[in-house]
Amino acid sequence: MIGAMEKGIEAAQISAPPSGVYDGVDLSVMPKYLCFKAALLKEKLLLKNLILILVGVFSVYFLVSRNEISTLYSKLREKEYILAPGVVDFTPASPQAVTDGYVDSAVMSFIRTLGNINPINIDDQYTELSGYMSHDLKVRFDMETSDWIETVKLENISEILKVADKEIISDEKGNYKVVAVVTRERYANNEYLGRTDEVVEMIIKLMPPKQGKRWFLQITSLTRTEANSFRGKQIQSKPSSVEK
């Protein structure tokens, strides 16, 4: 049958989707979903930043605390040293408790090693002595004595060093200044060349123990001069006085 719509008398009816729905999706809930999603992402980002900040703070705290502990351990090691060479059971001691006899024995050992030399033992003597020196002093000592060692071997020189007097001054912090007056007797090819008074000056410091070392003292400064030159230097260093 031909109805009114087909005859053009009645307008065609077009069906429209329900309000707020597209392809079966209710668009009325979309703003709420977007707001929830945005809030969730913001919360996760805030939580992530907070965790990173906490991790950074704890990392800095851990590094600072470990550095502080390391510093305290190093300070503790500066205060305890082994003072019993050649035995298995060692005795720790602070710089204030180091006996004068221990330091005196070490100083005498250093001076004898420095002065009692001959063509046969000079290499071993100087190598042993330089083992107790600081790095800078050891480098200078090896350079300055290389020519002397060759001279001793070529001319068959022997020296004997005898300590006449010595003074050891401590600063109560493990540092010692040594001034020793010695007498040097020299021989060349078994001929006596005479004797000379000398002054040996050393600055030594107490060091943490190391395996294989007899003395736990390090030589940081070493000079050896004739007594007359030393007296002249002492006179020049004294302030002059003016008579009124």
Side-chain angles (χ1 to χ4, degrees):
M1 295 178 60
I2 299 175
M5 187 175 60
E6 286 77 4
K7 294 178 178 180
I9 300 173
E10 185 177 352
Q13 299 293 327
I14 300 175
S15 62
S19 177
V21 176
Y22 179 76
D23 285 345
V25 178
D26 189 357
L27 299 180
S28 62
V29 299
M30 185 63 68
K32 297 180 181 179
Y33 174 77
L34 293 176
C35 292
F36 170 77
K37 192 68 174 180
L40 181 62
L41 292 175
K42 183 178 180 181
E43 183 179 355
K44 288 183 177 180
L45 182 60
L46 179 62
L47 179 61
K48 181 180 179 181
N49 292 335
L50 181 61
I51 292 175
L52 290 176
I53 292 174
L54 291 177
V55 170
V57 171
F58 280 112
S59 298
V60 172
Y61 175 77
F62 176 78
L63 293 176
V64 171
S65 62
R66 293 304 301 175
N67 182 65
E68 182 180 3
I69 293 173
S70 177
T71 302
L72 292 176
Y73 269 116
S74 62
K75 293 294 182 182
L76 180 63
R77 294 296 294 173
E78 289 177 0
K79 295 299 180 181
E80 291 194 2
Y81 309 93
I82 296 174
L83 301 180
V87 297
V88 177
D89 296 327
F90 298 115
T91 304
S94 65
Q96 294 79 9
V98 176
T99 63
D100 294 338
Y102 178 84
V103 179
D104 184 78
S105 298
V107 170
M108 291 297 295
S109 176
F110 294 155
I111 294 176
R112 293 192 188 102
T113 305
L114 173 67
N116 297 325
I117 53 96
N118 57 55
I120 298 176
N121 72 358
I122 187 170
D123 286 326
D124 294 336
Q125 293 281 91
Y126 283 3
T127 299
E128 178 183 351
L129 182 63
S130 64
Y132 291 100
M133 296 180 179
S134 63
H135 177 72
D136 294 341
L137 180 61
K138 182 180 185 302
V139 172
R140 295 198 305 269
F141 180 79
D142 292 341
M143 292 177 58
E144 294 173 0
T145 57
S146 58
D147 292 339
W148 169 241
I149 293 174
E150 294 299 324
T151 302
V152 168
K153 293 179 179 179
L154 289 174
E155 300 183 10
N156 194 24
I157 297 175
S158 298
E159 284 188 354
I160 299 175
L161 214 62
K162 297 179 181 178
V163 179
D165 191 16
K166 66 179 180 297
E167 181 183 23
I168 303 175
I169 302 175
S170 171
D171 64 355
E172 302 300 329
K173 296 180 180 179
N175 300 304
Y176 303 88
K177 181 179 180 180
V178 181
V179 179
V181 179
V182 300
T183 300
R184 183 202 71 198
E185 295 182 353
R186 181 173 292 178
Y187 300 83
N189 293 317
N190 297 324
E191 293 184 5
Y192 183 64
L193 300 181
R195 54 183 292 175
T196 304
D197 292 332
E198 296 182 347
V199 176
V200 177
E201 296 179 88
M202 287 188 291
I203 296 178
I204 58 180
K205 62 186 297 187
L206 197 62
M207 297 294 292
K210 289 185 179 180
Q211 188 69 26
K213 282 197 175 183
R214 180 185 177 192
W215 304 108
F216 303 111
L217 290 164
Q218 184 181 79
I219 306 172
T220 59
S221 175
L222 173 63
T223 57
R224 179 179 175 180
T225 57
E226 292 189 1
N228 293 333
S229 300
F230 176 78
R231 294 190 188 100
K233 183 178 68 174
Q234 291 295 100
I235 293 174
Q236 292 177 0
S237 63
K238 291 182 179 180
S240 61
S241 59
V242 180
E243 295 183 358
K244 296 183 179 179

